[in-house]
Amino acid sequence: MKEFKGRVVTPGTASATAVVSHGGFNTLASFQKSLQFGDKQAKCGDQNNPDLYGKPLAGVALCLPQTIGSTTGGLVLYCACAMKKQPACMLFANHIDSLAASGAVLAEVWIDDVTMPVIDCLGNEFLDYVKTGMKITVKEDGTVVVD
């Protein structure tokens, strides 16, 4: 077990299984098919991300360096939350980008019954340590426990 401390972007607690991407997470490419065609698990549709392609994104601890891609990324993330297909939490090794931050914050403010804690600045050591399948616990203060 190891603990990492990051910056809270959107508050909350979560406990979920880790799904790890070592490359940038393209929000639109990852969620587009599942949101359009009703995939309840929100399987990642981004063929350019071998770490995530075909893996469920709904209800997992999504561990990533940063998001990349389209300027619609924030809206796509907000829509995933509105459709209840969002990750249990998003954990960024780097600083969160403005698009992902906007989607997470809008979901936090505008959607009453959805919680998706987002923590950034966890560092490269976090992304090197965590592996897909590990148990993640997120605490209110931005502490992330990896079992």
Side-chain angles (χ1 to χ4, degrees), residues 24-122:
F25 179 75
N26 186 320
T27 310
L28 177 61
S30 295
F31 278 107
Q32 183 177 13
K33 278 187 178 179
S34 64
L35 297 180
Q36 278 184 305
F37 301 113
D39 174 6
K40 292 181 182 176
Q41 293 182 322
K43 290 185 196 103
C44 179
D46 184 2
Q47 297 178 13
N48 294 318
N49 190 327
D51 293 331
L52 298 180
Y53 182 66
K55 291 187 173 124
L57 300 174
V60 302
L62 183 56
C63 307
L64 61 154
Q66 74 275 329
T67 61
I68 59 172
S70 171
T71 57
T72 63
L75 178 61
V76 171
L77 187 55
Y78 169 81
C79 288
C81 291
M83 298 172 79
K84 306 223 182 331
K85 294 181 182 183
Q86 78 280 6
C89 56
M90 292 182 75
L91 306 172
F92 289 81
N94 302 329
H95 282 91
I96 193 171
D97 62 282
S98 59
L99 297 172
S102 67
V105 169
L106 288 174
E108 172 69 24
V109 172
W110 288 351
I111 304 171
D112 290 331
D113 57 346
V114 170
T115 300
M116 184 182 65
V118 176
I119 311 296
D120 75 347
C121 300
L122 288 164

